[in-house]
Amino acid sequence: MAKNTTLSGGVLKKVILSYTYLAIWIVLSGTVIVYNKYILDKKLYNWPFPISLTMIHMGFCSSLAFFLVRILKLVELFTLSRRVYLTCVLPIGALYSVSLWLSNSAYIYLSVSFIQILKALMPVAVYTIGILLKKESFKKSTLCNMLAISIGVAIAAYGESKFDSFGVSLQLLSVLVEATRLILIQILLNSKGIKLNPIATLYYVAPSCFLFLSIPWVFVELPVFKERGFSLDFDLMVFGSNCLCAFALNLAVFLVVGKTSALTMNIGGVVKDWLLIAFSWSVIKDRVTPLNLVGYGLAFLGVAYYNHQKLQKLKEKEAEKKFQQNDDEEEGGGRTNVDR
């Protein structure tokens, strides 16, 4: 009885910790999204420079990651060769910088709630690009699921009161680029056995992102800075706390994925989207129409079913591994008996 009680107590502790990590990630992710919206929106803080904001984030994350890895040596570093860095990490860094630039730019034109609805298309983009690059297998059931998500988002877009075609284009391009980045991580890094935790990822990727972002910055935002004589309101408290939140979010990702799973984070992401829609409606006073809710409800069901399918696949793979291990053990035992 004592052993069973101890076991259940240990399981309960793991469950509580897992949900605690997930809650921290949801809060930090929501905070960064709302904070970026506050800074970039012309009606709020009115600092509409998404490339500059992203560069500030990348510069801060690069410096802090270098300090944690090289000075304090708190994180184990996976050493990469120059060839791997140039052929694998740099392309991922380029896509990540474009994805962040486009995503942050969308906050200038769209509401927080509508952006979360558009992000529900991420599984559709990942699945489509995965098929094109032969990393996913075509299935009619999955295709129907993707169509349901797309129809849901289309209904929500039709019901959006502040629809901006340019902002929607930016967010959709961001989803497409981010999905491509996720597939390339599988092809370029995971297939080679290279797995980097978020701090190591920032150490390698953030500097390249900063450099890639500096190219459009020179042509898009630097001329605006020059016109204003660089006389911009730059509140160190606002931007410093914003950068800390962005860095803490990466740590939270490490905790959630490391202590639970990427699938748990995906499911938590759906909860986060609903909370952000509620926050956007109640606090920021964004208008959320009934069609928005109906459309996202349909997309939500599609995403939930997609996550369910992934969970079933993971269970099947684990069962196969256990079955294979049992077969190997039995074969090993048989050989031992024959030897005797």
Side-chain angles (χ1 to χ4, degrees), residues 157-194:
Y158 182 77
E160 176 61 22
S161 59
K162 294 180 180 178
F163 186 90
D164 185 285
S165 56
F166 183 67
V168 170
S169 299
L170 288 172
Q171 185 56 48
L172 292 180
L173 278 172
S174 172
V175 169
L176 188 63
V177 173
E178 179 63 13
T180 306
R181 185 185 75 91
L182 293 174
I183 296 295
L184 279 185
I185 287 174
Q186 292 180 32
I187 296 171
L188 299 178
L189 295 182
N190 293 350
S191 62
K192 296 179 180 179
I194 301 171

PDB file of all heavy atoms in Angstrom, residues 157-194:
ATOM      1  N   ALA A 157     -12.262  34.577 -41.257  1.00  0.00           N
ATOM      2  CA  ALA A 157     -11.763  35.737 -42.009  1.00  0.00           C
ATOM      3  C   ALA A 157     -12.919  36.524 -42.619  1.00  0.00           C
ATOM      4  O   ALA A 157     -12.910  37.757 -42.633  1.00  0.00           O
ATOM      5  CB  ALA A 157     -10.801  35.271 -43.103  1.00  0.00           C
ATOM      6  N   TYR A 158     -13.933  35.806 -43.111  1.00  0.00           N
ATOM      7  CA  TYR A 158     -15.106  36.460 -43.696  1.00  0.00           C
ATOM      8  C   TYR A 158     -15.850  37.292 -42.647  1.00  0.00           C
ATOM      9  O   TYR A 158     -16.415  38.346 -42.951  1.00  0.00           O
ATOM     10  CB  TYR A 158     -16.039  35.409 -44.302  1.00  0.00           C
ATOM     11  CG  TYR A 158     -17.264  35.989 -44.966  1.00  0.00           C
ATOM     12  CD1 TYR A 158     -17.174  36.582 -46.225  1.00  0.00           C
ATOM     13  CD2 TYR A 158     -18.508  35.949 -44.330  1.00  0.00           C
ATOM     14  CE1 TYR A 158     -18.293  37.120 -46.844  1.00  0.00           C
ATOM     15  CE2 TYR A 158     -19.633  36.486 -44.937  1.00  0.00           C
ATOM     16  CZ  TYR A 158     -19.521  37.071 -46.191  1.00  0.00           C
ATOM     17  OH  TYR A 158     -20.634  37.615 -46.786  1.00  0.00           O
ATOM     18  N   GLY A 159     -15.830  36.808 -41.413  1.00  0.00           N
ATOM     19  CA  GLY A 159     -16.532  37.519 -40.340  1.00  0.00           C
ATOM     20  C   GLY A 159     -15.686  38.553 -39.617  1.00  0.00           C
ATOM     21  O   GLY A 159     -16.147  39.174 -38.654  1.00  0.00           O
ATOM     22  N   GLU A 160     -14.430  38.739 -40.046  1.00  0.00           N
ATOM     23  CA  GLU A 160     -13.537  39.701 -39.384  1.00  0.00           C
ATOM     24  C   GLU A 160     -13.976  41.131 -39.682  1.00  0.00           C
ATOM     25  O   GLU A 160     -14.116  41.534 -40.845  1.00  0.00           O
ATOM     26  CB  GLU A 160     -12.098  39.483 -39.843  1.00  0.00           C
ATOM     27  CG  GLU A 160     -11.088  40.479 -39.317  1.00  0.00           C
ATOM     28  CD  GLU A 160     -10.981  40.484 -37.801  1.00  0.00           C
ATOM     29  OE1 GLU A 160     -11.349  39.483 -37.153  1.00  0.00           O
ATOM     30  OE2 GLU A 160     -10.504  41.502 -37.263  1.00  0.00           O
ATOM     31  N   SER A 161     -14.184  41.915 -38.626  1.00  0.00           N
ATOM     32  CA  SER A 161     -14.677  43.287 -38.781  1.00  0.00           C
ATOM     33  C   SER A 161     -13.593  44.254 -39.261  1.00  0.00           C
ATOM     34  O   SER A 161     -13.878  45.262 -39.896  1.00  0.00           O
ATOM     35  CB  SER A 161     -15.259  43.790 -37.452  1.00  0.00           C
ATOM     36  OG  SER A 161     -14.264  43.761 -36.431  1.00  0.00           O
ATOM     37  N   LYS A 162     -12.328  43.956 -38.931  1.00  0.00           N
ATOM     38  CA  LYS A 162     -11.221  44.834 -39.340  1.00  0.00           C
ATOM     39  C   LYS A 162     -10.260  44.064 -40.256  1.00  0.00           C
ATOM     40  O   LYS A 162      -9.072  43.970 -39.989  1.00  0.00           O
ATOM     41  CB  LYS A 162     -10.476  45.356 -38.108  1.00  0.00           C
ATOM     42  CG  LYS A 162     -11.318  46.278 -37.238  1.00  0.00           C
ATOM     43  CD  LYS A 162     -10.535  46.774 -36.034  1.00  0.00           C
ATOM     44  CE  LYS A 162     -11.385  47.706 -35.165  1.00  0.00           C
ATOM     45  NZ  LYS A 162     -10.633  48.152 -33.955  1.00  0.00           N
ATOM     46  N   PHE A 163     -10.817  43.542 -41.326  1.00  0.00           N
ATOM     47  CA  PHE A 163     -10.026  42.751 -42.273  1.00  0.00           C
ATOM     48  C   PHE A 163      -9.096  43.667 -43.056  1.00  0.00           C
ATOM     49  O   PHE A 163      -9.514  44.693 -43.609  1.00  0.00           O
ATOM     50  CB  PHE A 163     -10.951  42.002 -43.231  1.00  0.00           C
ATOM     51  CG  PHE A 163     -10.238  41.050 -44.150  1.00  0.00           C
ATOM     52  CD1 PHE A 163     -10.031  39.739 -43.773  1.00  0.00           C
ATOM     53  CD2 PHE A 163      -9.765  41.473 -45.383  1.00  0.00           C
ATOM     54  CE1 PHE A 163      -9.382  38.846 -44.624  1.00  0.00           C
ATOM     55  CE2 PHE A 163      -9.112  40.597 -46.241  1.00  0.00           C
ATOM     56  CZ  PHE A 163      -8.920  39.276 -45.854  1.00  0.00           C
ATOM     57  N   ASP A 164      -7.827  43.311 -43.081  1.00  0.00           N
ATOM     58  CA  ASP A 164      -6.835  44.073 -43.846  1.00  0.00           C
ATOM     59  C   ASP A 164      -6.072  43.085 -44.720  1.00  0.00           C
ATOM     60  O   ASP A 164      -5.355  42.221 -44.198  1.00  0.00           O
ATOM     61  CB  ASP A 164      -5.874  44.814 -42.903  1.00  0.00           C
ATOM     62  CG  ASP A 164      -4.909  45.722 -43.639  1.00  0.00           C
ATOM     63  OD1 ASP A 164      -3.957  45.202 -44.262  1.00  0.00           O
ATOM     64  OD2 ASP A 164      -5.085  46.948 -43.603  1.00  0.00           O
ATOM     65  N   SER A 165      -6.237  43.189 -46.033  1.00  0.00           N
ATOM     66  CA  SER A 165      -5.660  42.206 -46.952  1.00  0.00           C
ATOM     67  C   SER A 165      -4.138  42.164 -46.880  1.00  0.00           C
ATOM     68  O   SER A 165      -3.536  41.085 -46.954  1.00  0.00           O
ATOM     69  CB  SER A 165      -6.101  42.493 -48.393  1.00  0.00           C
ATOM     70  OG  SER A 165      -5.757  43.814 -48.766  1.00  0.00           O
ATOM     71  N   PHE A 166      -3.505  43.331 -46.694  1.00  0.00           N
ATOM     72  CA  PHE A 166      -2.041  43.358 -46.604  1.00  0.00           C
ATOM     73  C   PHE A 166      -1.574  42.663 -45.333  1.00  0.00           C
ATOM     74  O   PHE A 166      -0.620  41.868 -45.353  1.00  0.00           O
ATOM     75  CB  PHE A 166      -1.528  44.794 -46.634  1.00  0.00           C
ATOM     76  CG  PHE A 166      -0.031  44.901 -46.629  1.00  0.00           C
ATOM     77  CD1 PHE A 166       0.728  44.457 -47.706  1.00  0.00           C
ATOM     78  CD2 PHE A 166       0.645  45.450 -45.533  1.00  0.00           C
ATOM     79  CE1 PHE A 166       2.113  44.548 -47.697  1.00  0.00           C
ATOM     80  CE2 PHE A 166       2.023  45.543 -45.520  1.00  0.00           C
ATOM     81  CZ  PHE A 166       2.763  45.093 -46.605  1.00  0.00           C
ATOM     82  N   GLY A 167      -2.242  42.933 -44.217  1.00  0.00           N
ATOM     83  CA  GLY A 167      -1.897  42.284 -42.949  1.00  0.00           C
ATOM     84  C   GLY A 167      -2.104  40.781 -43.009  1.00  0.00           C
ATOM     85  O   GLY A 167      -1.284  40.009 -42.498  1.00  0.00           O
ATOM     86  N   VAL A 168      -3.203  40.348 -43.655  1.00  0.00           N
ATOM     87  CA  VAL A 168      -3.476  38.911 -43.812  1.00  0.00           C
ATOM     88  C   VAL A 168      -2.393  38.259 -44.666  1.00  0.00           C
ATOM     89  O   VAL A 168      -1.910  37.164 -44.348  1.00  0.00           O
ATOM     90  CB  VAL A 168      -4.869  38.690 -44.440  1.00  0.00           C
ATOM     91  CG1 VAL A 168      -5.061  37.217 -44.824  1.00  0.00           C
ATOM     92  CG2 VAL A 168      -5.963  39.105 -43.469  1.00  0.00           C
ATOM     93  N   SER A 169      -1.983  38.946 -45.734  1.00  0.00           N
ATOM     94  CA  SER A 169      -0.917  38.423 -46.608  1.00  0.00           C
ATOM     95  C   SER A 169       0.380  38.236 -45.829  1.00  0.00           C
ATOM     96  O   SER A 169       1.072  37.218 -45.982  1.00  0.00           O
ATOM     97  CB  SER A 169      -0.683  39.366 -47.790  1.00  0.00           C
ATOM     98  OG  SER A 169      -1.846  39.497 -48.567  1.00  0.00           O
ATOM     99  N   LEU A 170       0.709  39.212 -44.966  1.00  0.00           N
ATOM    100  CA  LEU A 170       1.923  39.120 -44.154  1.00  0.00           C
ATOM    101  C   LEU A 170       1.867  37.910 -43.223  1.00  0.00           C
ATOM    102  O   LEU A 170       2.844  37.152 -43.115  1.00  0.00           O
ATOM    103  CB  LEU A 170       2.108  40.399 -43.329  1.00  0.00           C
ATOM    104  CG  LEU A 170       2.515  41.668 -44.072  1.00  0.00           C
ATOM    105  CD1 LEU A 170       2.448  42.870 -43.134  1.00  0.00           C
ATOM    106  CD2 LEU A 170       3.923  41.531 -44.647  1.00  0.00           C
ATOM    107  N   GLN A 171       0.708  37.731 -42.548  1.00  0.00           N
ATOM    108  CA  GLN A 171       0.589  36.627 -41.590  1.00  0.00           C
ATOM    109  C   GLN A 171       0.594  35.281 -42.290  1.00  0.00           C
ATOM    110  O   GLN A 171       1.206  34.325 -41.806  1.00  0.00           O
ATOM    111  CB  GLN A 171      -0.686  36.795 -40.758  1.00  0.00           C
ATOM    112  CG  GLN A 171      -0.841  35.776 -39.652  1.00  0.00           C
ATOM    113  CD  GLN A 171       0.341  35.750 -38.698  1.00  0.00           C
ATOM    114  OE1 GLN A 171       0.796  36.783 -38.233  1.00  0.00           O
ATOM    115  NE2 GLN A 171       0.862  34.563 -38.420  1.00  0.00           N
ATOM    116  N   LEU A 172      -0.072  35.166 -43.424  1.00  0.00           N
ATOM    117  CA  LEU A 172      -0.087  33.904 -44.166  1.00  0.00           C
ATOM    118  C   LEU A 172       1.301  33.555 -44.689  1.00  0.00           C
ATOM    119  O   LEU A 172       1.709  32.392 -44.662  1.00  0.00           O
ATOM    120  CB  LEU A 172      -1.088  33.977 -45.327  1.00  0.00           C
ATOM    121  CG  LEU A 172      -2.571  34.050 -44.934  1.00  0.00           C
ATOM    122  CD1 LEU A 172      -3.442  34.127 -46.176  1.00  0.00           C
ATOM    123  CD2 LEU A 172      -2.976  32.852 -44.075  1.00  0.00           C
ATOM    124  N   LEU A 173       2.033  34.562 -45.177  1.00  0.00           N
ATOM    125  CA  LEU A 173       3.415  34.330 -45.612  1.00  0.00           C
ATOM    126  C   LEU A 173       4.281  33.890 -44.438  1.00  0.00           C
ATOM    127  O   LEU A 173       5.146  33.016 -44.582  1.00  0.00           O
ATOM    128  CB  LEU A 173       3.995  35.601 -46.244  1.00  0.00           C
ATOM    129  CG  LEU A 173       3.632  35.860 -47.711  1.00  0.00           C
ATOM    130  CD1 LEU A 173       4.121  37.243 -48.130  1.00  0.00           C
ATOM    131  CD2 LEU A 173       4.242  34.792 -48.616  1.00  0.00           C
ATOM    132  N   SER A 174       4.037  34.489 -43.258  1.00  0.00           N
ATOM    133  CA  SER A 174       4.782  34.110 -42.055  1.00  0.00           C
ATOM    134  C   SER A 174       4.532  32.647 -41.703  1.00  0.00           C
ATOM    135  O   SER A 174       5.468  31.909 -41.372  1.00  0.00           O
ATOM    136  CB  SER A 174       4.375  35.005 -40.879  1.00  0.00           C
ATOM    137  OG  SER A 174       4.939  34.547 -39.671  1.00  0.00           O
ATOM    138  N   VAL A 175       3.269  32.215 -41.782  1.00  0.00           N
ATOM    139  CA  VAL A 175       2.921  30.817 -41.510  1.00  0.00           C
ATOM    140  C   VAL A 175       3.605  29.893 -42.508  1.00  0.00           C
ATOM    141  O   VAL A 175       4.162  28.848 -42.130  1.00  0.00           O
ATOM    142  CB  VAL A 175       1.388  30.629 -41.570  1.00  0.00           C
ATOM    143  CG1 VAL A 175       1.016  29.145 -41.566  1.00  0.00           C
ATOM    144  CG2 VAL A 175       0.717  31.323 -40.390  1.00  0.00           C
ATOM    145  N   LEU A 176       3.610  30.279 -43.778  1.00  0.00           N
ATOM    146  CA  LEU A 176       4.233  29.467 -44.828  1.00  0.00           C
ATOM    147  C   LEU A 176       5.743  29.340 -44.609  1.00  0.00           C
ATOM    148  O   LEU A 176       6.304  28.241 -44.699  1.00  0.00           O
ATOM    149  CB  LEU A 176       3.955  30.105 -46.190  1.00  0.00           C
ATOM    150  CG  LEU A 176       4.360  29.303 -47.426  1.00  0.00           C
ATOM    151  CD1 LEU A 176       3.582  27.996 -47.502  1.00  0.00           C
ATOM    152  CD2 LEU A 176       4.156  30.115 -48.693  1.00  0.00           C
ATOM    153  N   VAL A 177       6.395  30.447 -44.290  1.00  0.00           N
ATOM    154  CA  VAL A 177       7.845  30.438 -44.064  1.00  0.00           C
ATOM    155  C   VAL A 177       8.194  29.640 -42.810  1.00  0.00           C
ATOM    156  O   VAL A 177       9.149  28.855 -42.797  1.00  0.00           O
ATOM    157  CB  VAL A 177       8.388  31.882 -43.942  1.00  0.00           C
ATOM    158  CG1 VAL A 177       9.860  31.879 -43.530  1.00  0.00           C
ATOM    159  CG2 VAL A 177       8.230  32.625 -45.273  1.00  0.00           C
ATOM    160  N   GLU A 178       7.398  29.815 -41.750  1.00  0.00           N
ATOM    161  CA  GLU A 178       7.647  29.082 -40.506  1.00  0.00           C
ATOM    162  C   GLU A 178       7.457  27.585 -40.691  1.00  0.00           C
ATOM    163  O   GLU A 178       8.223  26.775 -40.166  1.00  0.00           O
ATOM    164  CB  GLU A 178       6.713  29.603 -39.407  1.00  0.00           C
ATOM    165  CG  GLU A 178       6.847  28.917 -38.058  1.00  0.00           C
ATOM    166  CD  GLU A 178       8.208  29.089 -37.403  1.00  0.00           C
ATOM    167  OE1 GLU A 178       9.008  29.945 -37.857  1.00  0.00           O
ATOM    168  OE2 GLU A 178       8.495  28.364 -36.431  1.00  0.00           O
ATOM    169  N   ALA A 179       6.440  27.200 -41.454  1.00  0.00           N
ATOM    170  CA  ALA A 179       6.212  25.781 -41.740  1.00  0.00           C
ATOM    171  C   ALA A 179       7.384  25.190 -42.523  1.00  0.00           C
ATOM    172  O   ALA A 179       7.830  24.070 -42.245  1.00  0.00           O
ATOM    173  CB  ALA A 179       4.913  25.606 -42.539  1.00  0.00           C
ATOM    174  N   THR A 180       7.897  25.959 -43.481  1.00  0.00           N
ATOM    175  CA  THR A 180       9.073  25.514 -44.250  1.00  0.00           C
ATOM    176  C   THR A 180      10.275  25.337 -43.332  1.00  0.00           C
ATOM    177  O   THR A 180      11.041  24.370 -43.462  1.00  0.00           O
ATOM    178  CB  THR A 180       9.407  26.542 -45.350  1.00  0.00           C
ATOM    179  OG1 THR A 180       8.241  26.776 -46.150  1.00  0.00           O
ATOM    180  CG2 THR A 180      10.534  26.045 -46.239  1.00  0.00           C
ATOM    181  N   ARG A 181      10.431  26.264 -42.379  1.00  0.00           N
ATOM    182  CA  ARG A 181      11.543  26.178 -41.423  1.00  0.00           C
ATOM    183  C   ARG A 181      11.444  24.907 -40.572  1.00  0.00           C
ATOM    184  O   ARG A 181      12.445  24.208 -40.352  1.00  0.00           O
ATOM    185  CB  ARG A 181      11.554  27.411 -40.515  1.00  0.00           C
ATOM    186  CG  ARG A 181      12.750  27.469 -39.555  1.00  0.00           C
ATOM    187  CD  ARG A 181      12.620  28.654 -38.612  1.00  0.00           C
ATOM    188  NE  ARG A 181      11.637  28.427 -37.579  1.00  0.00           N
ATOM    189  CZ  ARG A 181      11.895  27.894 -36.391  1.00  0.00           C
ATOM    190  NH1 ARG A 181      13.121  27.498 -36.084  1.00  0.00           N
ATOM    191  NH2 ARG A 181      10.939  27.746 -35.500  1.00  0.00           N
ATOM    192  N   LEU A 182      10.231  24.592 -40.117  1.00  0.00           N
ATOM    193  CA  LEU A 182      10.035  23.406 -39.283  1.00  0.00           C
ATOM    194  C   LEU A 182      10.360  22.125 -40.045  1.00  0.00           C
ATOM    195  O   LEU A 182      10.956  21.200 -39.494  1.00  0.00           O
ATOM    196  CB  LEU A 182       8.589  23.362 -38.770  1.00  0.00           C
ATOM    197  CG  LEU A 182       8.190  24.472 -37.782  1.00  0.00           C
ATOM    198  CD1 LEU A 182       6.702  24.405 -37.480  1.00  0.00           C
ATOM    199  CD2 LEU A 182       8.997  24.386 -36.496  1.00  0.00           C
ATOM    200  N   ILE A 183       9.968  22.075 -41.325  1.00  0.00           N
ATOM    201  CA  ILE A 183      10.281  20.907 -42.152  1.00  0.00           C
ATOM    202  C   ILE A 183      11.787  20.814 -42.402  1.00  0.00           C
ATOM    203  O   ILE A 183      12.381  19.729 -42.353  1.00  0.00           O
ATOM    204  CB  ILE A 183       9.520  20.965 -43.487  1.00  0.00           C
ATOM    205  CG1 ILE A 183       8.009  20.883 -43.258  1.00  0.00           C
ATOM    206  CG2 ILE A 183       9.980  19.844 -44.425  1.00  0.00           C
ATOM    207  CD1 ILE A 183       7.527  19.575 -42.670  1.00  0.00           C
ATOM    208  N   LEU A 184      12.432  21.966 -42.650  1.00  0.00           N
ATOM    209  CA  LEU A 184      13.875  21.972 -42.895  1.00  0.00           C
ATOM    210  C   LEU A 184      14.664  21.542 -41.658  1.00  0.00           C
ATOM    211  O   LEU A 184      15.732  20.947 -41.784  1.00  0.00           O
ATOM    212  CB  LEU A 184      14.343  23.359 -43.346  1.00  0.00           C
ATOM    213  CG  LEU A 184      14.138  23.694 -44.827  1.00  0.00           C
ATOM    214  CD1 LEU A 184      14.752  25.045 -45.139  1.00  0.00           C
ATOM    215  CD2 LEU A 184      14.741  22.631 -45.732  1.00  0.00           C
ATOM    216  N   ILE A 185      14.134  21.853 -40.468  1.00  0.00           N
ATOM    217  CA  ILE A 185      14.788  21.395 -39.239  1.00  0.00           C
ATOM    218  C   ILE A 185      14.830  19.872 -39.227  1.00  0.00           C
ATOM    219  O   ILE A 185      15.836  19.262 -38.858  1.00  0.00           O
ATOM    220  CB  ILE A 185      14.055  21.944 -37.988  1.00  0.00           C
ATOM    221  CG1 ILE A 185      14.350  23.443 -37.823  1.00  0.00           C
ATOM    222  CG2 ILE A 185      14.489  21.195 -36.731  1.00  0.00           C
ATOM    223  CD1 ILE A 185      13.570  24.098 -36.704  1.00  0.00           C
ATOM    224  N   GLN A 186      13.734  19.243 -39.650  1.00  0.00           N
ATOM    225  CA  GLN A 186      13.694  17.778 -39.726  1.00  0.00           C
ATOM    226  C   GLN A 186      14.689  17.251 -40.757  1.00  0.00           C
ATOM    227  O   GLN A 186      15.401  16.277 -40.509  1.00  0.00           O
ATOM    228  CB  GLN A 186      12.283  17.314 -40.118  1.00  0.00           C
ATOM    229  CG  GLN A 186      11.223  17.555 -39.075  1.00  0.00           C
ATOM    230  CD  GLN A 186       9.859  17.075 -39.537  1.00  0.00           C
ATOM    231  OE1 GLN A 186       9.748  16.118 -40.283  1.00  0.00           O
ATOM    232  NE2 GLN A 186       8.809  17.742 -39.097  1.00  0.00           N
ATOM    233  N   ILE A 187      14.737  17.912 -41.919  1.00  0.00           N
ATOM    234  CA  ILE A 187      15.588  17.437 -43.019  1.00  0.00           C
ATOM    235  C   ILE A 187      17.067  17.695 -42.750  1.00  0.00           C
ATOM    236  O   ILE A 187      17.912  16.807 -42.916  1.00  0.00           O
ATOM    237  CB  ILE A 187      15.175  18.110 -44.350  1.00  0.00           C
ATOM    238  CG1 ILE A 187      13.752  17.696 -44.731  1.00  0.00           C
ATOM    239  CG2 ILE A 187      16.148  17.733 -45.472  1.00  0.00           C
ATOM    240  CD1 ILE A 187      13.184  18.463 -45.907  1.00  0.00           C
ATOM    241  N   LEU A 188      17.394  18.939 -42.316  1.00  0.00           N
ATOM    242  CA  LEU A 188      18.791  19.354 -42.207  1.00  0.00           C
ATOM    243  C   LEU A 188      19.444  19.008 -40.868  1.00  0.00           C
ATOM    244  O   LEU A 188      20.640  18.739 -40.810  1.00  0.00           O
ATOM    245  CB  LEU A 188      18.910  20.862 -42.445  1.00  0.00           C
ATOM    246  CG  LEU A 188      18.460  21.360 -43.831  1.00  0.00           C
ATOM    247  CD1 LEU A 188      18.586  22.876 -43.902  1.00  0.00           C
ATOM    248  CD2 LEU A 188      19.271  20.705 -44.939  1.00  0.00           C
ATOM    249  N   LEU A 189      18.664  19.020 -39.785  1.00  0.00           N
ATOM    250  CA  LEU A 189      19.255  18.811 -38.454  1.00  0.00           C
ATOM    251  C   LEU A 189      18.890  17.450 -37.854  1.00  0.00           C
ATOM    252  O   LEU A 189      19.770  16.649 -37.543  1.00  0.00           O
ATOM    253  CB  LEU A 189      18.824  19.936 -37.510  1.00  0.00           C
ATOM    254  CG  LEU A 189      19.330  21.349 -37.853  1.00  0.00           C
ATOM    255  CD1 LEU A 189      18.868  22.339 -36.801  1.00  0.00           C
ATOM    256  CD2 LEU A 189      20.851  21.370 -37.957  1.00  0.00           C
ATOM    257  N   ASN A 190      17.592  17.190 -37.689  1.00  0.00           N
ATOM    258  CA  ASN A 190      17.162  15.958 -37.014  1.00  0.00           C
ATOM    259  C   ASN A 190      17.615  14.702 -37.747  1.00  0.00           C
ATOM    260  O   ASN A 190      17.969  13.699 -37.126  1.00  0.00           O
ATOM    261  CB  ASN A 190      15.639  15.951 -36.854  1.00  0.00           C
ATOM    262  CG  ASN A 190      15.156  17.034 -35.901  1.00  0.00           C
ATOM    263  OD1 ASN A 190      15.966  17.670 -35.228  1.00  0.00           O
ATOM    264  ND2 ASN A 190      13.865  17.264 -35.851  1.00  0.00           N
ATOM    265  N   SER A 191      17.605  14.737 -39.089  1.00  0.00           N
ATOM    266  CA  SER A 191      18.028  13.568 -39.870  1.00  0.00           C
ATOM    267  C   SER A 191      19.507  13.255 -39.670  1.00  0.00           C
ATOM    268  O   SER A 191      19.952  12.132 -39.885  1.00  0.00           O
ATOM    269  CB  SER A 191      17.740  13.799 -41.357  1.00  0.00           C
ATOM    270  OG  SER A 191      18.485  14.905 -41.839  1.00  0.00           O
ATOM    271  N   LYS A 192      20.276  14.261 -39.255  1.00  0.00           N
ATOM    272  CA  LYS A 192      21.705  14.072 -39.003  1.00  0.00           C
ATOM    273  C   LYS A 192      22.007  13.838 -37.522  1.00  0.00           C
ATOM    274  O   LYS A 192      23.166  13.832 -37.105  1.00  0.00           O
ATOM    275  CB  LYS A 192      22.491  15.288 -39.504  1.00  0.00           C
ATOM    276  CG  LYS A 192      22.389  15.476 -41.023  1.00  0.00           C
ATOM    277  CD  LYS A 192      23.161  16.693 -41.477  1.00  0.00           C
ATOM    278  CE  LYS A 192      23.038  16.871 -42.990  1.00  0.00           C
ATOM    279  NZ  LYS A 192      23.761  18.053 -43.481  1.00  0.00           N
ATOM    280  N   GLY A 193      20.949  13.693 -36.739  1.00  0.00           N
ATOM    281  CA  GLY A 193      21.122  13.446 -35.309  1.00  0.00           C
ATOM    282  C   GLY A 193      21.502  14.683 -34.517  1.00  0.00           C
ATOM    283  O   GLY A 193      21.942  14.586 -33.374  1.00  0.00           O
ATOM    284  N   ILE A 194      21.313  15.874 -35.118  1.00  0.00           N
ATOM    285  CA  ILE A 194      21.640  17.130 -34.438  1.00  0.00           C
ATOM    286  C   ILE A 194      20.397  17.654 -33.748  1.00  0.00           C
ATOM    287  O   ILE A 194      19.421  18.029 -34.400  1.00  0.00           O
ATOM    288  CB  ILE A 194      22.176  18.186 -35.429  1.00  0.00           C
ATOM    289  CG1 ILE A 194      23.418  17.656 -36.135  1.00  0.00           C
ATOM    290  CG2 ILE A 194      22.483  19.489 -34.711  1.00  0.00           C
ATOM    291  CD1 ILE A 194      23.892  18.532 -37.275  1.00  0.00           C
TER     292      ILE A 194
END
